[in-house]
Amino acid sequence: MNALFQYISTVFKGIGTLLTGMKITGKYVFTPWNNVTQQYPENRDTLKMFDRFRGEVIMPHSENNEHLCTGCGICELNCPNGSIEIISKMELTEDGKKKRAIDQHIYHLGMCTFCNLCVKACPTGAIVMGQNFEHAVWDRSKLTKVLNQPGSKIAQGVKE
Amino acid sequence: MSEIKEIIISSDKIHTDQYLVNMGPQHPSTHGVLRLLVRLEGEIVHHIQPHVGYIHSGIEKMCEAISYPQVIHLTDRMDYLSAHMNNEAVALCVENALQVEVPERVKYIRTIMDELSRLASHQLWWCVMGMDLGALTTFFYGLRDREHILDIFEETCGARMTLNYSLPGGVMFDIHPNFQKRVKEFIKEFKKKLPEYDQLLTGNVIFQERTKEIGYLSLEDAIAWGVTGPAGRGSGFSCDVRKHHPYSAYPLVQFEEKLDTRGDTFTRYRLRIEEMHESMHIIEQLIDNIPEGDYAVKMKGVVKLPEGEFYQRVESARGEFGVYIVSDGKKNPYRVKFRSPGFSNLFALNKMASGHKIADLVAIMSTLDLVIPDIDR
Amino acid sequence: MTNEELQAYLTGEFSKAEVKLGKQYVEILVQAADLHETSVRLKNEPELSFDYLFCLSGVDYPETMQIVYHLESVKHRHVVVLKVNTADRTDPKVDTVSDVWRTAKYHEREVYDLLGVKFNNHKDLRRLFLDDSWGFPLRKDYKDEVRIVER
């Protein structure tokens, strides 16, 4: 008899605690402004990432198609996964000296772990982390990028 | 095959009424690719043999080829829920080896980040624990609150989970100007939300029936199997590294190591909830007092450790995390060993779940809070 | 006990072992034959009572395989590092301590898996992560043409 009474009381207590929980969920049904969900593909135009967000490595160019990269290769050394390859070339400066310059800054996005070590190590601040996070492509070869734009050259006054 | 034979014919007796069931590798409650070979009699679990290694990534081998700052970003990928503690362990180990004294500001930032990671990890554990036991609602509530912490991480560190924030000598960036305001807002908000967790799940009779007096682990077993973290403390094993071997700003703050001796699933559950309160308490003590100063000391371009062996223990969200670095004086470590909490905790599962029903196995496993890359490394 | 006290105590107690104070912890290097006896004494003597094995690692040195046990006493809160060198590097063998600290059972399986150290008297010495045809990847002479890219 005692056991039966205990069983029934547990059932009622169970219903009671269930209602306590449902009170919470009910509260949020009627206060939907408390939620944090974003309507992602619809809000693409207004969606702004935080300015430190690490999406991809990019090399900013000025309007004269000038960048800050000297081709020193420090980012290549600092990359843990070998996702950066520097191909440098020899250029003649105005006063006739030979100087190393960047030919191609190759960046394998598919191998990058976004650790920020290359950006931190860069002595001239030539590469920064971009905000783009939509990296899906149909072909893997498209993930290999050349960061310096064709025909670009190093900005005046940047030294190694 | 020999292994199956060995399991069936244990104690010189062929168990014809027992059978073997593979739980996993693709089982939702194993939280990753973990296979448990379970010997059952009816619904009663008799023996569990965990099989790991499905996502073994050889991180220790990879570390031998890269430099110390580069090692840190790999530790993010082990226990991705307590990524910052793992980063900090390597950073502290390198700093101790080089006898670099980091600024006070760095210690405060690291400790706050640790506790935020612990909160985020426990929130995810809480919602997944509810989901394992069939309460889907908790999943959304836990993730909703975790989102605020991940936003704080993203604003300051630039990433949501793979933070790579602590470096030898300091942190990657200074804290964002909004950091203190956001953390205080979050703490204020979450203090109101945490009692809701109790109302939703802790007080629920169905939940209590499924967790109380299930999965008992004695103090002696907890020590013998090296079960640390809230799982070990639920058995009365005082194993909080923050208390016993304090690092960063932990000597400066007041907090309590939550201990209980009951050792069942519900105790481990309750201790994690209490740890969330303690974490918020620690953050509150630090967040207004972050001293001014540099966020990193200048390290050499190539970090080389002196010859010798270095060990650093930190408390991650799942238990004790350790880094053992053997250096031969070069820029790469000679050998790196990670002592991961999940590895030791997992193998106590057989001790805890034997004799219980198979449905209880799910509940026991979720209070161990396993993260599989942490086990496999 | 503090590190210095522990060092003095261990030097007196374990005459056959080599005790020294490392950078962080007291280190005790034993012969492979004495390992099991030493570990039983380390665990059971009430002044020491090292009952919590928190890390077990194997290191591949040029001449020897070294197994390193990090031990802590829950009661006294002191830490010791127990080390043992195996006689042979290519076919290393060492006694198991899984009957002393139970968690060592799986840590030893991990060391066997990654370094190929065989533990005598181990009840269940199988590979843990990798399959049987794999080499021992943490050995320094391990070669993998396909998966390891040298830079």
Side-chain angles (χ1 to χ4, degrees):
Chain A
M1 194 61 205
N2 201 11
L4 183 70
F5 178 73
Q6 211 171 14
Y7 177 76
I8 292 170
S9 80
T10 317
V11 168
F12 277 104
K13 227 168 110 191
I15 294 170
T17 50
L18 210 61
L19 288 175
T20 322
M22 282 171 79
K23 208 166 79 190
I24 309 266
T25 47
K27 195 177 98 193
Y28 286 109
V29 168
F30 294 108
T31 52
W33 52 87
N34 276 319
N35 61 29
V36 291
T37 325
Q38 293 187 6
Q39 301 289 330
Y40 162 56
E42 286 84 11
N43 73 348
R44 268 171 88 172
D45 300 332
T46 54
L47 182 68
K48 196 177 171 306
M49 305 306 287
F50 292 112
D51 49 357
R52 286 180 189 173
F53 176 72
R54 306 203 287 259
E56 60 178 339
V57 178
I58 50 172
M59 187 183 284
H61 285 65
S62 69
E63 59 270 23
N64 306 330
N65 207 7
E66 285 176 339
H67 56 75
L68 300 172
C69 180
T70 58
C72 62
I74 289 179
C75 51
E76 188 181 3
L77 284 173
N78 271 279
C79 181
N81 319 301
S83 51
I84 294 176
E85 280 175 59
I86 306 285
I87 300 174
S88 53
K89 61 182 176 191
M90 283 300 171
E91 254 179 12
L92 282 175
T93 50
E94 283 152 13
D95 45 345
K97 280 184 197 154
K98 269 192 175 177
K99 197 182 162 215
R100 192 173 52 171
I102 184 86
D103 185 22
Q104 280 188 318
H105 188 297
I106 298 170
Y107 170 51
H108 302 278
L109 179 63
M111 280 150 79
C112 183
T113 51
F114 314 108
C115 64
N116 205 38
L117 289 176
C118 54
V119 176
K120 197 175 160 60
C122 182
T124 54
I127 44 176
V128 292
M129 278 288 175
Q131 313 274 299
N132 181 24
F133 58 92
E134 291 164 330
H135 293 315
V137 284
W138 288 107
D139 187 357
R140 200 196 291 182
S141 63
K142 290 197 178 112
L143 291 174
T144 299
K145 298 175 180 180
V146 179
L147 292 187
N148 54 331
Q149 287 167 8
S152 64
K153 61 180 197 306
I154 185 165
Q156 286 289 316
V158 180
K159 287 203 184 80
E160 269 186 47
Chain B
M1 199 56 213
S2 62
E3 161 204 332
I4 291 173
K5 220 177 347 183
E6 174 198 317
I7 278 181
I8 292 188
I9 319 180
S10 58
S11 71
D12 304 327
K13 197 176 119 198
I14 299 176
H15 303 284
T16 47
D17 46 354
Q18 298 188 350
Y19 49 93
L20 290 167
V21 173
N22 271 315
M23 189 168 163
Q26 305 294 341
H27 191 278
S29 79
T30 56
H31 302 203
V33 272
L34 167 71
R35 179 159 71 96
L36 301 174
L37 194 57
V38 187
R39 195 174 78 208
L40 291 169
E41 184 180 342
E43 245 191 313
I44 312 284
V45 175
H46 276 262
H47 188 274
I48 298 163
Q49 178 70 54
H51 284 252
V52 295
Y54 285 88
I55 40 173
H56 177 71
S57 45
I59 284 180
E60 287 171 9
K61 183 75 184 174
M62 280 150 86
C63 288
E64 288 173 13
I66 54 179
S67 69
Y68 292 100
Q70 292 172 348
V71 165
I72 289 178
H73 95 290
L74 286 178
T75 61
D76 284 339
R77 272 104 188 142
M78 294 193 321
D79 183 355
Y80 46 80
L81 293 178
S82 41
H84 186 261
M85 289 86 138
N86 299 357
N87 293 349
E88 193 186 1
V90 181
L92 284 171
C93 196
V94 173
E95 282 157 15
N96 285 352
L98 294 172
Q99 292 174 334
V100 174
E101 185 64 33
V102 293
E104 283 292 299
R105 186 181 178 82
V106 175
K107 292 183 182 171
Y108 275 64
I109 295 173
R110 280 182 180 168
T111 311
I112 294 169
M113 283 292 178
D114 272 355
E115 293 307 318
L116 284 175
S117 307
R118 198 183 315 280
L119 275 172
S121 172
H122 283 356
Q123 281 166 349
L124 187 80
W125 156 81
W126 178 79
C127 59
V128 171
M129 165 125 199
M131 200 177 66
D132 282 349
L133 296 175
L136 190 67
T137 320
T138 62
F139 190 74
F140 302 114
Y141 284 77
L143 285 187
R144 175 198 64 190
D145 299 334
R146 184 166 169 265
E147 197 70 12
H148 296 295
I149 298 184
L150 296 189
D151 278 347
I152 293 170
F153 283 162
E154 197 182 339
E155 197 173 32
T156 288
C157 317
R160 295 168 78 79
M161 287 169 79
T162 52
L163 305 177
N164 195 25
Y165 188 55
S166 269
L167 292 178
V171 288
M172 179 82 85
F173 313 102
D174 201 356
I175 50 171
H176 198 270
N178 289 342
F179 179 75
Q180 278 157 305
K181 190 179 106 230
R182 268 174 169 273
V183 171
K184 275 188 270 187
E185 268 171 21
F186 164 75
I187 295 285
K188 200 174 147 214
E189 192 70 8
F190 192 55
K191 282 225 155 145
K192 283 186 229 151
K193 296 274 171 65
L194 201 49
E196 287 183 0
Y197 284 27
D198 286 338
Q199 287 166 2
L200 269 171
L201 199 61
T202 319
N204 194 306
V205 170
I206 303 165
F207 175 75
Q208 291 194 4
E209 293 276 317
R210 286 200 60 183
T211 50
K212 276 189 177 167
E213 291 165 31
I214 298 288
Y216 176 71
L217 185 74
S218 69
L219 170 61
E220 196 221 337
D221 284 333
I223 297 172
W225 286 103
V227 180
T228 49
R233 289 195 279 280
S235 303
F237 176 21
S238 170
C239 55
D240 199 331
V241 183
R242 295 175 290 171
K243 268 273 184 249
H244 297 296
H245 307 275
Y247 53 95
S248 291
Y250 285 111
L252 309 171
V253 291
Q254 302 286 324
F255 69 100
E256 214 183 305
E257 183 186 5
K258 298 285 182 187
L259 280 175
D260 205 317
T261 48
R262 273 173 281 179
D264 61 349
T265 304
F266 187 70
T267 310
R268 292 191 281 274
Y269 167 86
R270 212 170 39 76
L271 281 184
R272 281 211 173 82
I273 298 275
E274 280 175 21
E275 255 191 25
M276 286 203 236
H277 287 287
E278 283 301 310
S279 289
M280 285 197 282
H281 183 52
I282 293 173
I283 296 172
E284 276 179 333
Q285 292 173 51
L286 295 175
I287 189 72
D288 280 326
N289 308 323
I290 301 178
E292 293 295 317
D294 288 335
Y295 63 90
V297 287
K298 188 97 181 102
M299 298 286 277
K300 281 192 193 132
V302 180
V303 181
K304 280 185 185 169
L305 257 61
E307 254 178 72
E309 294 159 21
F310 308 96
Y311 196 89
Q312 178 65 45
R313 311 163 76 176
V314 297
E315 180 78 11
S316 91
R318 261 142 279 279
E320 179 180 333
F321 179 83
V323 185
Y324 177 57
I325 295 179
V326 181
S327 165
D328 57 350
K330 298 208 183 77
K331 72 179 171 68
N332 305 337
Y334 186 75
R335 167 89 165 94
V336 180
K337 156 91 187 182
F338 296 111
R339 188 261 188 229
S340 56
F343 186 82
S344 296
N345 289 7
L346 167 68
F347 295 108
L349 186 64
N350 179 32
K351 194 86 206 163
M352 292 154 98
S354 294
H356 288 296
K357 299 257 166 51
I358 193 159
D360 296 332
L361 175 59
V362 174
I364 295 164
M365 209 152 56
S366 30
T367 49
L368 282 179
D369 194 11
L370 301 171
V371 168
I372 308 303
D374 184 35
I375 297 164
D376 283 357
R377 299 195 294 291
Chain C
M1 276 191 259
T2 60
N3 274 349
E4 286 76 22
E5 285 167 15
L6 188 66
Q7 188 197 4
Y9 185 85
L10 289 172
T11 318
E13 287 287 307
F14 297 93
S15 51
K16 275 190 272 181
E18 196 182 307
V19 183
K20 65 167 185 170
L21 186 60
K23 288 198 174 72
Q24 286 165 294
Y25 305 125
V26 179
E27 290 169 12
I28 166 167
L29 180 70
V30 295
Q31 299 295 319
D34 301 335
L35 172 71
H36 194 264
E37 190 208 334
T38 313
S39 54
V40 169
R41 282 180 65 195
L42 281 175
K43 192 191 174 193
N44 293 342
E45 281 188 20
E47 290 83 22
L48 300 170
S49 70
F50 288 106
D51 47 1
Y52 169 35
L53 173 76
F54 60 88
C55 189
L56 197 164
S57 19
V59 188
D60 179 13
Y61 286 110
E63 290 91 37
T64 175
M65 289 279 179
Q66 193 175 62
I67 315 293
V68 186
Y69 307 81
H70 284 80
L71 303 165
E72 186 174 4
S73 161
V74 175
K75 196 171 146 206
H76 306 296
R77 289 287 161 200
H78 46 220
V79 179
V80 77
V81 184
L82 175 65
K83 289 181 181 175
V84 59
N85 286 330
T86 56
D88 189 3
R89 194 187 152 275
T90 43
D91 186 24
K93 282 195 182 70
V94 70
D95 285 343
T96 182
V97 293
S98 57
D99 50 338
V100 187
W101 299 283
R102 269 171 281 169
T103 182
K105 184 179 171 190
Y106 290 94
H107 283 91
E108 282 175 352
R109 270 181 70 183
E110 189 197 341
V111 172
Y112 168 65
D113 191 5
L114 301 177
L115 282 159
V117 180
K118 292 203 179 65
F119 290 91
N120 306 328
N121 308 327
H122 192 288
K123 291 265 166 51
D124 182 26
L125 195 66
R126 283 180 287 125
R127 302 201 71 154
L128 188 63
F129 296 129
L130 309 172
D131 64 36
D132 292 335
S133 58
W134 214 287
F136 300 118
L138 279 184
R139 288 195 181 186
K140 292 286 171 190
D141 50 9
Y142 174 77
K143 288 273 183 300
D144 192 330
E145 306 281 313
V146 183
R147 296 175 192 88
I148 294 181
V149 183
E150 295 280 337
R151 272 199 283 149

